[in-house]
Amino acid sequence: MTQDTTQQHTAPETTPDRVEAAARAAHAAAPALAALPPTVRAAALVALADRLAANADDLVATAMEETGLAEARLRGELNRTAVQLRLFADTVLDGAHLDARIDFADPDFALGPRPDVRSANEPVGPVLNFAAGNFPFAFSVAGGDTAAALAAANPVVVKAHPGHPRLARQTAALAAAALEEAGLPTGTMQLIEGQDAGVAMLRHPLVKAASFTGSLRAGRLLADIAAARPAPIPFYGELGSVNPVFATPGAIAERGPEFAAGLVASVSGSAGQLCTKPGLVFLPAGHGLDAAIADAAAAVGEHRMLDPRIAEHYTAGREAILSAAGVRFIAPGSIRTDEHGQGWATPTILAVPLDVFRPHPDALLTECFGPIAILVESPADTDYADLLETLFEGELTVTVHRTDREDITALARAAARRAGRVLFDGWPTGVAVTPAMRHGGPWPATTNGGTSVGTAAIARFLRGVAYQNAPADVLPAPLRDDNPWGVPQRIAPAGESAGWGDRARA
Amino acid sequence: MTQDTTQQHTAPETTPDRVEAAARAAHAAAPALAALPPTVRAAALVALADRLAANADDLVATAMEETGLAEARLRGELNRTAVQLRLFADTVLDGAHLDARIDFADPDFALGPRPDVRSANEPVGPVLNFAAGNFPFAFSVAGGDTAAALAAANPVVVKAHPGHPRLARQTAALAAAALEEAGLPTGTMQLIEGQDAGVAMLRHPLVKAASFTGSLRAGRLLADIAAARPAPIPFYGELGSVNPVFATPGAIAERGPEFAAGLVASVSGSAGQLCTKPGLVFLPAGHGLDAAIADAAAAVGEHRMLDPRIAEHYTAGREAILSAAGVRFIAPGSIRTDEHGQGWATPTILAVPLDVFRPHPDALLTECFGPIAILVESPADTDYADLLETLFEGELTVTVHRTDREDITALARAAARRAGRVLFDGWPTGVAVTPAMRHGGPWPATTNGGTSVGTAAIARFLRGVAYQNAPADVLPAPLRDDNPWGVPQRIAPAGESAGWGDRARA
């Protein structure tokens, strides 16, 4: 959200009048959208996925121009975005996210006659989604947050990322048309542009939740605005992470070269501009991997960074790391700026002994968005679990490389307390789009521990409502005895309550 | 959270040193508590319920002295509190709240080989619970928020309500002993006292979530503190509500006298000091219920209010309502202060025509905590749904009295958008403790739409963690193939993903 003076495109700012109109249109669409049967809403998500796939050539061409990302990466990302929409279509049909509960009336209840009580999740209302710059498809206009909010039956207003304004408009137009043709109300999908417009929409009383992927600084600013509203709203921000990796002596002894190659690939992919890029790697001193890492890094070509502002931030962050005391180059890497202001980088891998790093880790513990990583060379008997709990607060991922001969239980438990995802013998980049996946973690990884990947992401955009002694004809479909949507209903029959707690009696 | 100068007891403030020690003790207890099997944690909740029941005579005697609430009400509330603990014991054993998901590895996945990904909810960490004054058992030391946080396997620090300090200490001592004897770690349940101590604990970095039941003013203050921390934490506040009631012409014609009696009972029970007390009642002009309401109100004896501060607030709030233009007395009611500073009240029921109320509703739309309600006499053709959406923002409850001959679908849908619970042909006070119940609603009913009653309340104190390619022996129990805790596991087998979205294809 910093003022960007170097960017070459000049995205038009959505005017206050149009922000107001967009908020009202989203609000007006909400009841009709919520009333549609899941079959229609799921088919609309699939139609959107199909529409994106059918326009892949055009979309990828625009994305390449605007972001500098490689064609293969962008095609893969678009495919992932479509798969994500299909996954949420299945989620909509499945209905487990509605958490439908039915407690029949119980005249013999221990606390006196109990009414019929039923509850289910309902859409929270219009959602504002701040698109990210580094995933122009998967975390942008039709990305994960949008898919989750739509799946929850909420209208979505996307605040376009200034890094790819033409792609944002192209995607939004395709999406709005696809959803409307599939029977969703006008106003279900809208785009706004510009920082002031985004903040105005975040403050708008008709907006009921917001999501964001970006920097800690911008995310904190927006989270504070959401919390300070006369009526605060939940703000789901994914703010970044250092993603520490811990490699045991056994793992390095057993698979050193493979580890080196995997590390360089994970650090340099997409020029390191990924939220899950591993920034700090703890491994045994005397690992002997310098040459393998340097060779792998030297084989990586120059990659354009997303935009001049990111290149500028990366240059400054890299400088700060390079100037820290006791840092040793393994792969020096490079960053240069071309005549258009664009940055071009090759991967930088450094090393520092644990005893130098540990007393003043601040400079090295800050996320540096780009192709850089620091190896922290640690004595073989280092207690990684203690190190993790001492140094880290909240991370998207913690990675452990180990062998079956080593007991890493304590490290795994510590990692689970600090991160949204704990992974083993792999690399955190390339987040799989699967129902159980989580992309989140304690502050500052996210503002509140929610996930923005995986089908549990839908929970952020729902709220529960209970109905007491409701006439059958006003109950929402998921709570009716005849269950017309066929959703899972959790039924507590009369009388069962008498046994509460008995199962647990010693 | 206002400074209370009139209160007679002088609760000692927990010192900063003891706040620090309590935070550390809770933090230290967290991993051991989380590692206990559900059978042990469930049995501990039941042991706590049994301990409360076994000490009912002592606890109720203290509560009567400190709160002025009637013995029958307090015995009922203690029973409800025990039932709530047992309900959460069953929830712990059931395990559905863990949302365990297993996606097996899939080498043929559309986006490339997919790793084994599993996720489940884990405890969020130490929870701070600000006890309420009006439910010295059910929303205090061993009340709903504590039960939910313990069920989620979190250590709890309760900030005692100054209205019942001796009862708070008595309950906390019983609870800590019962839990520890049941095998839970020391530090699982602790009590702190005093406003400064509560705020210091809310700011403490080792506290990971907080809950609160009380006034909008205090709740907003605390919510802002939680949001402004260097590392913000979720703050689950239940801040109050006017709880509008809408009665159709048919309902009044069919069951007028029953309606009048129910209304007076709901407004006057516990001297109206309930979050769900109906404060505004919309009903047809010419309802003819004045005499029935006046007679029922006249039959209600004087009831002591909880403490001098609440009596003072009630006196001022009632004055403001009485002085509003166009207000007519149906039952005048009374409030007086005795020689100990305690307030004694009888129910006040007023009426105002809709056309007088509607243009400047502010004075009458604010919650007035005590035995007072305002009837808004409305023309028979009034669009209640529109009225509800125009006047109200977020409510704990909306109540509809209707007949089968009237179509109230639009009103019910509007109510669901504004409230956490919609009830029909009944009264919102006396919240049933059942799995599907919800006690929450959009701001300002709550800070974030969560519920503090019903088993879904546990979700506030959990966070999801994903494990990728984890060795079997480090997976938490709910995610193991052999499922030692016997929890529901949602398994997406390899290959199924190929069909994503196909079910929804038009």
Side-chain angles (χ1 to χ4, degrees), chain B residues 20 32 47 136 148 163 181 183 225 228 231 243 250 262 264 270 311 320 341 348 362 469 475 494:
Chain B
E20 179 66 27
E181 286 163 30
I225 289 171
N243 303 295
V264 172
S270 300
T348 298
D362 285 359
N469 287 342
L475 276 173

Side-chain angles (χ1 to χ4, degrees), chain A residues 8-373:
Chain A
Q8 315 204 298
H9 44 73
T10 51
E13 172 94 15
T14 303
T15 62
D17 280 358
R18 292 190 61 119
V19 167
E20 179 65 29
R24 288 182 184 278
H27 175 71
L33 182 60
L36 288 172
T39 44
V40 173
R41 288 185 285 107
L45 290 173
V46 171
L48 173 51
D50 289 346
R51 189 69 57 101
L52 294 177
N55 289 273
D57 291 348
D58 280 357
L59 292 167
V60 167
T62 308
M64 286 173 69
E65 284 172 32
E66 289 192 308
T67 67
L69 292 168
E71 177 172 357
R73 143 76 201 262
L74 287 167
R75 287 200 182 270
E77 186 188 330
L78 185 59
N79 192 15
R80 168 187 167 169
T81 306
V83 164
Q84 192 156 254
L85 287 160
R86 294 179 205 284
L87 179 61
F88 275 109
D90 279 355
T91 301
V92 169
L93 292 177
D94 173 76
H97 64 285
L98 300 175
D99 191 21
R101 299 165 177 235
I102 300 180
D103 303 341
F104 292 119
D106 183 353
D108 305 318
F109 183 54
L111 302 176
R114 198 178 77 173
D116 180 288
V117 179
R118 305 175 184 221
S119 64
N121 288 328
E122 306 200 359
V124 73
V127 172
L128 170 62
N129 169 15
F130 287 85
N134 59 338
F135 279 91
F137 297 118
F139 287 84
S140 188
V141 177
D145 285 334
T146 295
L150 288 175
N154 296 295
V156 175
V157 177
V158 176
K159 188 268 177 189
H161 192 278
H164 51 271
R166 284 189 294 120
L167 179 66
R169 281 174 230 138
Q170 217 172 326
T171 312
L174 285 174
L179 297 175
E180 201 163 331
E181 285 163 31
L184 270 46
T186 310
T188 296
M189 158 65 84
Q190 299 177 92
L191 189 75
I192 60 172
E193 297 182 62
Q195 179 177 323
D196 292 348
V199 169
M201 190 63 92
L202 183 61
R203 290 195 170 119
H204 200 288
L206 295 177
V207 168
K208 298 303 182 190
S211 59
F212 168 86
T213 302
S215 72
L216 177 55
R217 203 162 67 96
R220 176 79 206 216
L221 197 87
L222 295 173
D224 288 348
I225 289 172
R229 285 167 44 125
I233 55 172
F235 180 82
Y236 299 99
E238 190 265 85
L239 310 187
S241 194
V242 175
N243 303 296
V245 174
F246 296 88
T248 65
I252 297 300
E254 193 176 276
R255 319 182 290 272
E258 184 192 333
F259 179 89
L263 168 65
V264 172
S266 188
V267 170
S268 62
S270 300
Q273 300 163 110
L274 302 176
C275 306
T276 55
K277 182 210 73 179
L280 275 178
V281 180
F282 296 85
L283 80 179
H287 49 76
L289 298 181
D290 282 25
I293 292 171
D295 289 352
V300 177
E302 237 185 12
H303 194 299
R304 203 195 95 184
M305 302 203 69
L306 286 162
D307 61 50
R309 186 175 53 95
I310 286 180
E312 198 181 306
H313 284 173
Y314 175 66
T315 304
R318 181 173 172 275
E319 268 315 313
I321 292 171
L322 263 52
S323 64
V327 169
R328 169 173 68 88
F329 281 108
I330 293 180
S334 60
I335 170 76
R336 66 171 178 90
T337 305
D338 69 14
E339 66 277 22
H340 308 291
Q342 298 287 4
W344 294 80
T346 62
T348 298
I349 314 271
L350 308 153
V352 63
L354 178 61
D355 60 355
V356 173
F357 170 78
R358 198 163 187 176
H360 38 74
D362 285 359
L364 304 182
L365 264 177
T366 308
E367 181 183 13
C368 182
F369 199 69
I372 188 166

Side-chain angles (χ1 to χ4, degrees), chain B residues 212-282:
Chain B
F212 168 86
T213 302
S215 72
L216 176 55
R217 203 162 67 96
R220 176 80 208 215
L221 198 86
L222 296 172
D224 287 348
I225 289 171
R229 286 167 44 124
I233 56 171
F235 180 81
Y236 299 99
E238 191 265 84
L239 310 185
S241 194
V242 175
N243 303 295
V245 175
F246 296 87
T248 64
I252 296 301
E254 191 176 279
R255 320 181 290 270
E258 185 192 333
F259 180 89
L263 168 65
V264 172
S266 188
V267 170
S268 63
S270 300
Q273 299 162 111
L274 302 176
C275 306
T276 55
K277 182 210 73 178
L280 275 179
V281 179
F282 295 84

